Amino acid sequence: MTAVPDIEFRAVTKRYGAVTAVSGIDLAIPPSAFVALLGPSGCGKTTCLRMIGGFEQPSEGQVLIRGRDMAGTPPYRRPVNMVFQQYALFPHLDVEENISYGLRQARPRLSSREISQRAGEALAMVQLAGYGRRKIHELSGGQQQRVALARALVNKPAVLLLDEPLAALDKKLRTDMQIELQNLQREIGITFVLVTHDQEEALSMSDFVCVMNGGRVVQLGQPSEIYDEPADLFVADFVGKTNLLSGKVAGLSGDLVNVALADGTVIAARKRVPLSRGEAVSVSLRPESLSLSAPGSGALKGIVRNRIFLGSTAEYAIEVQGIGSLLAKADHVIGQGNLFKPGEPVAIGFAAGAPLAFPHAKNNGTNQREDQNAEILP
Amino acid sequence: MPKSYRDGLPITPDKFVDQLMRLKRGSISRRDFLGLTGLGVATAVMARELGITPTPAFAAENLGDRMSIATWPNYHDPQTFENFKADTGVAVEVNVFGSNEEMLAKLQAGGSGWSLFVPTNYTISTYKKLGIIEALDMAKLGNFDGKSEDARFTAEGTIDGTIYAVPKNWGTTGFAVNTKKLSKPMSSWKEFWDTAMAEGDGRTMVHDYQLTTIGNALKYYGYSFNSLKQDELAKAEELLLKVKPHLFAVSSDYQPGMRAGDAWMTMCWTNDGAQLHRDIPEIAYVLGKEGGEIWTDFYAIPKDAPNKPAGYALLNYLMNPKVAVKEHLANGAPSTDARVNALLPKEVLDNPILYPAADLLKPLEFGAAATLTDPGRAELMARFKSA
Amino acid sequence: MSETGYKPKPDNATGGLSSAGSQPAFPMRGSLFRKNLVTTLLLAPAALWLVVFLVLPFIAIAIFSVGERAPEGGYQAALTFAQYANLPARATAFWNTMVLAPIGALACLLVAYPVAYYLALRAPQRWRLILLAMIVIPFWTSLLMRTYAWMYILGGRGIPALLAYVGIEDLRLINTPGAVLLGIVYGYLPLMILPIYVSLERLDRRLLEASADLGATPLSTFLGVTLRLSLPGVMTGFSLVMILLLGEYLIPTLLGGGKVFFIGNALVDLFLQSRNWPFGSAIAITLVLVSVVVLIVANRISTRLSGARRVDLI
Ligand SMILES: Nc1ncnc2c1ncn2[C@@H]1O[C@H](COP(=O)(O)OP(=O)(O)O)[C@@H](O)[C@H]1O
Ligand SMILES: [Mg+2]
């Protein structure tokens, strides 16, 4: 394989009447990667996937698959397959017929021996050997999910598209399927594009995460990058848990800014975009970057309001006067266990470089589409 | 009456509505058409069997305020009933029927609710036999004058010296021909049937009524209209089956087809013939010289009439020549009553369709009761229709 | 392949049906009973209606059918199967009907399917209801009137009169087999369109996309998915129209000139003309049995072709 991306978006915009679902996206998805399209409901993820699948045409721009412009190519001529939300399995066909459906469409025709052999392999691949003659409605949700997967993969697509494939499963099954999907991707070696609104899922499964908001791509990177170096306030807030503290830029020193928080405390924070003195900013502090100690030291002082002991960690809700409630997460080391109790005063510290300052409100589309959260089913 | 038969087409909206209203009133054609919609009979039959319909209690001697009459479509001057109501306070509900059989079925089922109805001659003996019609109390019918009636028409209303029905009007069954389309003059049933298979191919209608269709086929061979003889009926059947593929329709609703020009020739009753000829002069009415049917429609009162006093009152009112003459002008059929004829205008009396020449009338036969109820003829008709 | 670290899942734990497939989760007996009682009470009026207007008449007809025709017509009590033995006397009528009903229903289907398809899958959403209403509303007026309208349209003063203007003389459209077929298609179209529309409307559009996604051309998607999944609607419409056609008498009489004789016509004649109620009843009973057979067959076909779905008439 050369460096031709499996999927490429060039200035793609998609409008539905007055609604702009996707606006001016440029995106290149490298081959053989597990890519997650992550974003809140209504941000345009499904629309992007459907444009790759050929169910929607871009209003502007081009979608390329393996370097070929797909304009005018109908879904049935595209080298991609999709695992639909709620699977969209054919209720009138049994499991094997569902799986071999795509093989039967192949021209020139495949021999029936080849069809049944490949269908059998696909069944085995998703651990459903022996289920071939079952009716779809006789399967559990997890089994249906795997049939959908096999039905798509049996066609050996260049890219597998998955639209919220795990959303309908319960938590335990979802975790299992996450691992299974990852393994499958590694094994088959084709690109998986997974749409999800679940940031944990995106971070845990994918090689690359493409964070979308308001119809745009706001950040593309490896999961750790996205988590550690969010491109903007929206990403910081949406991916993982974080504390957002508002303040004003009090001074600039090289890569850092000094931010005066609401209670007057001044802390040093890294910045991702140029900031000017006096500008309103939000400072992001991940809960696990906070360290708690007995009163006396630390940048901030507060009182423990609530504690959730989780075994290896403990989460604290800490009330800081003038700033509000902060979430802190502390590792728990066995034997060393003086946990803070609710009502106790604590000092809060953090490593230098942990705080990240973002311009306030500007370029913050977080809630802009809150009212359009409904999933659009075609 | 004729007014409502202006089947003007191409359809203008108001004419179309006219047609629909006509349909609603049920005034389409005399005998058979309503049978199409008359599934009510089956219900009535069941109701009787299940004892659902109560038999109405007998009313006291006052006339009450309503009654109902069963009759034929386009058979009365509506004004007659209005006037009757003005005179007596009794509102008349008019039920129109498609066939004698249907009337019979309804009466037989019981609870018809009629206090007067209009049976045709050949059904009266059956009604009498079944005991469902009243021996008329002539004292209540002062306007009826037996002496002014033509005995030829009244005979079948009287059984064993008792009067069960008094005549309304009479008529004949011949055929109507569109002479523009079929210009060869015709005067016999033989010509009717032969033409149906030649120039009239695909343009000829026969009644959906075994009495007349089989009767007139029998006439082709000169047999009796009422024949029940196996061999004669077999010949008639042979003719009918031969003609069948050439027919335009087997239907008693022949006016629309004739008026629209789709049909060129049809079996036809006097009053329809008169109407067709009046509106479309090229349509002639022909009586077969071999003979055929002559008929009389009567008035009779059902035994279970819910309002007999009003039934008698209306019947007596209709027997008044001054009233009857308007009825005849309205429905176009000839009267049996000399007093009425005396009041009819000359051009009506001179109309050969209504009053054919004596030599044409002579060979005509009244339909017989057995002709109507014969199962063999019914089956023959079914074979003809299903062929 | 299984070296992927995948652990087989205990399906039952996740509510899977794989082992419980044959025994669906019923509520407890007690609540089932209570539910049934309530259902029974709710259904009582409908059941009564059914008994009075369907079952009792049927019994009455069944009793008539083993009776005799009274000499003057009508019914006379007896216990004889002579009426049934006499059924061959209406063999032609039965034959005509058994030929016409499926052909008529098929013609109706061929017109109805594209209409239903357009309505359910192609028509703009906001027009759908209006178009549907336009199809259904004429159905509220009596079939007799609508058929009568066709009599005039096809009659000599309708289309033939217009054609006469352009020099085509004496064309006859009325009282032809074509006119009957037209009347049947026209008269029963809504009954065919509606169930098909409903099944197409219910069709999960994503199945069509899934099919395209798997490489199926629009034609093979139509044949393999759309048509297959709309079969219950097709069979419902088909059996509905077919059963009604088994008893049809009006359209052949009015638009066919009464020259073609169907079982419906035989019934009308037997009840209203020759008043042979026992024979008419025997034919009616036979017709009901034929209808039941048609329904069962339609149901079988539908079940076989589209999985567990059934013809909605049953
Ligand atoms: N067929 C459609 N017609 C109109 N608007 C649509 C359609 N599909 C999607 N949208 C709109 O486009 C936006 C993006 O939708 P979608 O791609 O489904 O979001 P996501 O999958 O991220 O939740 C939403 O605002 C949605 O309302
Ligand atoms: Mg979505």
Side-chain angles (χ1 to χ4, degrees):
Chain A
M1 272 276 134
T2 57
V4 176
D6 266 351
I7 305 283
E8 195 179 347
F9 277 45
R10 291 187 185 157
V12 171
T13 294
K14 175 68 186 176
R15 279 182 287 268
Y16 295 107
V19 180
T20 303
V22 164
S23 60
I25 286 188
D26 284 297
L27 180 67
I29 294 176
S32 302
F34 198 128
V35 181
L37 290 184
L38 172 67
S41 198
C43 72
K45 309 179 296 289
T46 297
T47 304
C48 285
L49 211 62
R50 291 173 59 77
M51 285 191 288
I52 302 172
F55 307 114
E56 306 287 354
Q57 301 302 320
S59 311
E60 286 163 27
Q62 291 162 285
V63 174
L64 293 85
I65 299 179
R66 291 201 165 159
R68 247 173 18 105
D69 185 357
M70 285 289 123
T73 305
Y76 52 91
R77 294 226 183 82
R78 297 193 180 201
V80 297
N81 282 112
M82 183 133 154
V83 173
F84 287 80
Q85 236 168 332
Q86 275 117 41
Y87 323 135
L89 297 174
F90 302 120
H92 57 299
L93 303 178
D94 66 21
V95 169
E96 190 183 325
E97 288 165 338
N98 262 279
I99 291 174
S100 57
Y101 190 93
L103 298 176
R104 287 182 204 289
Q105 311 299 333
R107 298 292 180 276
R109 285 176 192 280
L110 303 177
S111 73
S112 57
R113 244 194 60 229
E114 183 176 359
I115 289 177
S116 71
Q117 191 201 328
R118 280 173 64 177
E121 282 169 14
L123 269 173
M125 177 178 69
V126 295
Q127 314 294 327
L128 281 176
Y131 282 70
R133 293 275 84 90
R134 293 282 183 103
K135 286 278 170 194
I136 296 306
H137 63 86
E138 295 168 348
L139 301 181
S140 69
Q143 290 170 331
Q144 292 188 8
Q145 160 76 76
R146 301 210 294 278
V147 173
L149 212 51
R151 184 178 70 172
L153 287 174
V154 76
N155 305 298
K156 302 200 163 90
V159 176
L160 181 72
L161 310 171
L162 304 109
D163 192 358
E164 310 258 10
L166 309 176
L169 305 181
D170 61 45
K171 191 164 165 49
K172 166 85 174 69
L173 195 53
R174 190 156 65 217
T175 324
D176 290 344
M177 278 309 294
Q178 286 175 356
I179 296 166
E180 197 174 336
L181 275 176
Q182 268 181 296
N183 290 338
L184 267 176
Q185 192 271 329
R186 239 167 275 148
E187 198 179 310
I188 303 168
I190 60 166
T191 299
F192 279 27
V193 180
L194 172 97
V195 156
T196 180
H197 65 273
D198 179 342
Q199 47 94 18
E200 250 177 69
E201 188 170 288
L203 295 185
S204 65
M205 294 173 75
S206 46
D207 303 324
F208 292 98
V209 177
C210 171
V211 186
M212 293 182 64
N213 187 31
R216 294 173 197 280
V217 173
V218 282
Q219 191 169 10
L220 174 66
Q222 291 172 10
S224 55
E225 247 179 280
I226 301 284
Y227 190 83
D228 294 341
E229 305 293 337
D232 65 9
L233 187 57
F234 166 77
V235 179
D237 190 26
F238 188 74
V239 177
K241 287 178 182 172
T242 196
N243 294 298
L244 292 177
L245 293 66
S246 34
K248 276 205 167 67
V249 176
L252 301 156
S253 60
D255 284 346
L256 299 178
V257 285
N258 288 321
V259 177
L261 301 178
D263 69 340
T265 316
V266 175
I267 61 172
R270 288 187 297 132
K271 59 179 167 46
R272 317 256 330 156
V273 291
L275 297 169
S276 52
R277 184 183 288 268
E279 189 173 347
V281 291
S282 287
V283 176
S284 162
L285 265 173
R286 296 280 183 202
E288 65 274 14
S289 67
L290 298 183
S291 60
L292 304 182
S293 54
S297 58
L300 297 163
K301 284 183 265 304
I303 292 169
V304 175
R305 283 282 168 243
N306 211 342
R307 184 188 75 196
I308 301 168
F309 180 56
L310 295 167
S312 61
T313 59
E315 287 185 4
Y316 296 91
I318 297 158
E319 183 70 30
V320 179
Q321 210 176 3
I323 289 179
S325 186
L326 293 187
L327 183 71
K329 201 176 199 173
D331 285 346
H332 174 59
V333 184
I334 297 170
Q336 204 187 326
N338 49 350
L339 295 165
F340 297 94
K341 292 181 208 52
E344 253 183 275
V346 288
I348 306 164
F350 41 80
L356 270 171
F358 297 101
H360 206 57
K362 201 171 74 184
N363 187 30
N364 179 356
T366 317
N367 295 326
Q368 153 190 335
R369 285 171 170 266
E370 207 79 306
D371 53 334
Q372 297 171 357
N373 264 357
E375 280 290 340
I376 295 298
L377 297 180
Chain B
M1 103 187 242
K3 302 281 170 288
S4 64
Y5 252 126
R6 296 261 158 79
D7 308 20
L9 274 186
I11 304 179
T12 62
D14 53 327
K15 292 223 171 109
F16 180 70
V17 168
D18 233 38
Q19 285 303 333
L20 288 184
M21 292 317 291
R22 194 178 134 230
L23 248 166
K24 266 198 167 149
R25 291 197 307 270
S27 52
I28 281 185
S29 93
R30 187 180 140 120
R31 277 158 216 262
D32 172 88
F33 181 74
L34 286 165
L36 294 172
T37 53
L39 278 180
V41 177
T43 323
V45 170
M46 277 168 222
R48 184 195 55 169
E49 293 303 315
L50 300 169
I52 287 170
T53 316
T55 308
F58 202 60
E61 195 47 42
N62 78 57
L63 294 183
D65 58 0
R66 63 187 62 233
M67 66 163 284
S68 93
I69 178 173
T71 183
W72 308 107
N74 290 332
Y75 229 46
H76 299 272
D77 183 350
Q79 193 59 43
T80 304
F81 300 119
E82 308 259 319
N83 295 344
F84 180 70
K85 186 182 179 200
D87 286 4
T88 62
V90 180
V92 180
E93 187 204 0
V94 180
N95 300 300
V96 287
F97 272 75
S99 73
N100 274 295
E101 292 86 339
E102 208 184 326
M103 272 187 191
L104 174 52
K106 193 117 196 216
L107 275 174
Q108 229 178 336
S112 67
W114 311 329
S115 298
L116 190 63
F117 73 115
V118 186
T120 306
N121 56 289
Y122 41 79
T123 61
I124 292 164
S125 62
T126 305
Y127 284 123
K128 150 79 177 33
K129 211 183 292 171
L130 292 170
I132 49 183
I133 52 171
E134 178 98 338
L136 292 178
D137 179 356
M138 299 313 287
K140 292 183 176 146
L141 300 173
N143 286 338
F144 176 75
D145 179 1
K147 289 189 295 295
S148 72
E149 297 284 347
D150 183 334
R152 177 171 193 191
F153 302 118
T154 55
E156 282 184 276
T158 307
I159 301 171
D160 299 334
T162 308
I163 298 177
Y164 285 89
V166 291
K168 169 166 172 47
N169 51 244
W170 65 281
T172 57
T173 308
F175 57 93
V177 192
N178 184 326
T179 54
K180 268 211 181 125
K181 301 288 186 185
L182 298 172
S183 49
K184 189 182 74 182
M186 281 184 274
S187 60
S188 69
W189 284 111
K190 184 158 191 327
E191 285 164 320
F192 173 85
W193 292 111
D194 287 339
T195 305
M197 291 182 279
E199 304 94 307
D201 191 353
R203 301 288 184 175
T204 303
M205 294 179 77
V206 301
H207 289 168
D208 182 7
Y209 192 42
Q210 66 89 352
L211 189 97
T212 46
T213 293
I214 297 176
N216 292 327
L218 285 162
K219 279 290 148 200
Y220 183 93
Y221 303 101
Y223 302 142
S224 162
F225 179 86
N226 288 308
S227 175
L228 297 178
K229 292 194 185 109
Q230 288 299 317
D231 54 334
E232 294 181 2
L233 286 173
K235 300 270 313 226
E237 179 170 0
E238 195 185 304
L239 173 67
L240 286 172
L241 293 182
K242 206 164 71 181
V243 174
K244 174 82 186 288
H246 301 282
L247 293 177
F248 170 68
V250 180
S251 167
S252 308
D253 187 24
Y254 44 82
Q255 284 217 28
M258 287 298 286
R259 287 171 184 270
D262 288 317
W264 297 345
M265 182 165 78
T266 182
M267 279 186 196
C268 184
W269 286 291
T270 299
N271 43 325
D272 290 323
Q275 290 166 26
L276 285 169
H277 177 71
R278 181 205 56 216
D279 297 341
I280 305 168
E282 65 258 31
I283 295 183
Y285 181 77
V286 180
L287 278 178
K289 63 174 180 249
E290 304 95 329
E293 190 197 12
I294 184 170
W295 46 265
T296 308
D297 281 338
F298 287 77
Y299 288 114
I301 295 179
K303 266 227 173 96
D304 67 354
N307 190 354
K308 267 184 207 169
Y312 272 107
L314 177 59
L315 177 50
N316 193 41
Y317 182 75
L318 289 163
M319 285 298 121
N320 180 341
K322 286 202 192 81
V323 175
V325 75
K326 286 197 211 114
E327 289 280 287
H328 290 288
L329 287 173
N331 88 356
S335 168
T336 58
D337 189 341
R339 297 175 300 168
V340 176
N341 286 338
L343 297 174
L344 283 170
K346 189 172 171 332
E347 66 267 26
V348 173
L349 293 171
D350 286 348
N351 185 341
I353 295 178
L354 300 186
Y355 298 94
D359 61 322
L360 279 173
L361 281 179
K362 208 158 146 236
L364 298 179
E365 300 165 74
F366 278 100
T371 311
L372 183 71
T373 54
D374 180 53
R377 285 181 71 133
E379 288 304 294
L380 196 167
M381 189 67 182
R383 287 194 296 276
F384 163 62
K385 284 169 72 177
S386 62
Chain C
M1 283 259 170
S2 54
E3 257 125 56
T4 55
Y6 169 79
K7 291 171 259 113
K9 277 157 208 96
D11 288 306
N12 296 341
T14 62
L17 289 172
S18 55
S19 72
S22 49
Q23 42 176 67
F26 272 122
M28 305 269 297
R29 280 219 163 263
S31 75
L32 183 69
F33 173 75
R34 224 173 303 127
K35 216 170 158 187
N36 272 358
L37 187 70
V38 173
T39 314
T40 310
L41 288 176
L42 286 173
L43 288 179
L48 190 71
W49 190 92
L50 217 68
V51 167
V52 171
F53 291 102
L54 276 170
V55 177
L56 289 184
F58 187 81
I59 292 171
I61 293 281
I63 292 172
F64 284 174
S65 76
V66 293
E68 280 170 352
R69 180 184 190 268
E72 310 303 336
Y75 162 77
Q76 175 170 297
L79 183 60
T80 165
F81 289 94
Q83 309 301 341
Y84 288 96
N86 196 25
L87 282 176
R90 292 294 180 279
T92 328
F94 269 109
W95 173 251
N96 290 342
T97 309
M98 294 315 286
V99 171
L100 163 105
I103 290 179
L106 194 69
C108 215
L109 173 64
L110 291 179
V111 177
Y113 201 97
V115 177
Y117 183 88
Y118 174 79
L119 280 178
L121 297 171
R122 291 274 177 274
Q125 189 74 49
R126 61 178 185 284
W127 282 101
R128 238 173 245 179
L129 224 63
I130 297 169
L131 291 172
L132 213 57
M134 280 168 60
I135 285 167
V136 173
I137 285 171
F139 206 61
W140 292 345
T141 61
S142 98
L143 180 62
L144 177 68
M145 294 205 186
R146 286 179 294 133
T147 306
Y148 222 70
W150 274 112
M151 272 179 79
Y152 282 89
I153 294 169
L154 297 176
R157 296 184 183 175
I159 293 171
L162 294 178
L163 291 177
Y165 280 118
V166 296
I168 303 168
E169 293 282 347
D170 282 347
L171 182 84
R172 185 156 74 76
L173 300 175
I174 188 82
N175 295 1
T176 57
V180 175
L181 203 62
L182 178 87
I184 284 170
V185 170
Y186 170 78
Y188 290 101
L189 201 56
L191 284 180
M192 188 67 94
I193 290 177
L194 288 180
I196 298 175
Y197 170 81
V198 168
S199 68
L200 285 173
E201 166 78 75
R202 258 195 317 220
L203 178 77
D204 185 347
R205 308 303 142 91
R206 278 170 323 163
L207 295 179
L208 307 180
E209 293 186 342
S211 174
D213 184 68
L214 293 167
T217 58
L219 179 65
S220 73
T221 295
F222 174 75
L223 296 174
V225 180
T226 315
L227 190 60
R228 280 289 285 279
L229 287 174
S230 62
L231 271 182
V234 169
M235 292 314 292
T236 301
F238 195 88
S239 25
L240 196 65
V241 170
M242 169 125 170
I243 283 167
L244 290 173
L245 282 179
L246 288 178
E248 179 61 53
Y249 63 95
L250 196 69
I251 294 170
T253 304
L254 294 184
L255 297 178
K259 287 177 297 178
V260 183
F261 199 64
F262 298 115
I263 278 302
N265 303 86
L267 281 175
V268 170
D269 280 6
L270 284 168
F271 277 102
L272 298 183
Q273 297 260 358
S274 46
R275 287 174 312 110
N276 191 342
W277 297 347
F279 190 30
S281 300
I283 289 175
I285 294 280
T286 310
L287 191 60
V288 169
L289 294 182
V290 170
S291 307
V292 169
V293 170
V294 167
L295 264 185
I296 290 172
V297 169
N299 195 37
R300 283 272 164 80
I301 296 175
S302 176
T303 310
R304 178 149 325 153
L305 290 181
S306 66
R309 302 252 208 109
R310 311 219 135 226
V311 173
D312 292 346
L313 268 185
I314 300 185

